[in-house]
Amino acid sequence: MDTYQLTVNGQQRTVTADPGTPLLWVLREELKMTGTKYGCGVAACGACTVHVAGVATRSCIVPVSMIGDRPIVTIEAIGDDRVGKAVQDAWVAHDVVQCGYCQSGQIMSAVALLKSKAQPSERNIDESMGGNLCRCGTYPRIREAIKTAAQQLK
Amino acid sequence: MIRGRSGSLLVTIFVLAISAVWLAASPGSAGQTAGRTVASDTRRDAGLAAWDQVYSVLTHPRCINCHTATNYPQQGDDRHRHFANVVRGPDGFGVAGLSCATCHQATNANSTGAPGSHNWHLAPLSMAWQDRDDRPLSSAQLCRVLTDRSKNHGMDGPALLKHHAEDELVGWAWEPGLDITGAQRTLPPLSRPEFADATRQWVEAGMPCPSGR
């Protein structure tokens, strides 16, 4: 077990974990931040997506020992960000969520997309969101919510 | 007339004899040309033999999985399409929200099976070593692509050797870590020093490419 100093949602947090422990389990089990979900555990579904130094990152396969001093942002704080707030508002406006399990990951990926492409094309949305699965099939509403958020951010 | 013919014959023989002596002594003699041709052929054959070794590494999944001609990388020894709908993106680093760095860190994550190395990305389409049906290019085709400086970022022989011998991401192929099942990923058929040595021999032989398609 090693001790790590993490910056999570702007706060310094100290955790003790095995170096190979995925960041997801440090967030959920050590820091009790359960907004980030465990879906597949192999980076295939996107439910565990957080931002590490601004990069949408699959926390289920990135060991805590590889984070270093890069800041982490999770779903719990994404609403503090201008783009994150716009995305969350659009999600509510379009009533995107059905069961909701994948939605924190969906929102984190959507925010990463809009921070890179302020006015994404259909193809941009397809490609950027293609790694986030939703078994409820909310994809059409996700697409429309991203477009709405982009409009609001103009 | 007879005397005249004999005189002409003597002159002809004399000229031929002088010519023979001159040819034998000249730098461009047939014997030396043949010798140079043999030497040249030997050098080319050695270069082609070295190229065969280089080709065996370039077409190994650890290398060719990221030299695709398609809009996605491949993974595994069966070179299947990368899961999770990963795409190439405009510069080979994926797209926002689903970039290479979404999963691949600067080193292998053996506890989770995610491979990683510095600057993880796809090779440009100009450096594709496969066709659009995911079939590796033939030895002759790949050699032509590799040596075309309009397609390989302007790399000449020494630059290619440096790339093969020293580039960190290329070197990942020999330290690929564990896969998601905890099994060691397979390695290219040559060690990296052997690969670099084969590349050096090929470069020193003038980077010959096999003929044909």
Side-chain angles (χ1 to χ4, degrees), chain A residues 19-22 41-45 49 55-58 60-63 66-67 70 109 112-113 116-117 123-124 127-133, chain B residues 71 82-90 94-116 180-181:
Chain A
T21 304
V42 294
C45 76
T49 304
V55 177
T57 300
R58 301 291 196 254
C60 72
I61 60 163
V62 176
M66 292 187 178
I67 298 301
R70 294 179 292 172
S109 291
L113 165 62
S116 174
K117 285 270 186 188
R123 179 177 176 179
N124 294 149
E127 291 184 338
S128 289
M129 302 301 294
N132 287 81
L133 304 185
Chain B
N71 190 35
H82 195 298
F83 71 76
N85 297 319
V86 169
V87 295
R88 170 183 293 277
V95 293
L98 194 55
S99 65
C100 299
T102 291
C103 296
H104 301 285
Q105 305 296 303
T107 57
N108 293 321
N110 283 335
S111 65
T112 63
I180 202 163
T181 69

Side-chain angles (χ1 to χ4, degrees), chain B residues 1 3 18 30 37 40 48 50 53 70 76 78 92 130 156-157 168 172-173 176 180 185 187 199 201-202 205 213:
Chain B
M1 289 295 290
R3 187 183 297 164
I18 292 295
T37 300
S40 175
L48 289 174
Q53 297 292 297
T70 50
D78 61 353
Q130 307 184 30
D156 59 8
E168 188 173 345
W172 171 85
I180 202 163
R185 290 186 178 86
L187 301 177
T199 303
Q201 292 177 43
W202 174 63
R213 298 178 60 83

Side-chain angles (χ1 to χ4, degrees), chain A residues 44-97:
Chain A
C45 76
C48 67
T49 304
V50 301
H51 291 184
V52 176
V55 177
T57 300
R58 301 291 196 254
S59 64
C60 72
I61 60 163
V62 176
V64 64
S65 57
M66 292 187 178
I67 298 301
D69 59 2
R70 294 179 292 172
I72 300 160
V73 175
T74 69
I75 189 68
E76 284 86 352
I78 200 67
D80 298 339
D81 176 271
R82 176 175 170 266
V83 176
K85 179 68 164 57
V87 170
Q88 286 188 329
D89 288 347
W91 243 245
V92 172
H94 285 272
D95 200 10
V96 168
V97 175

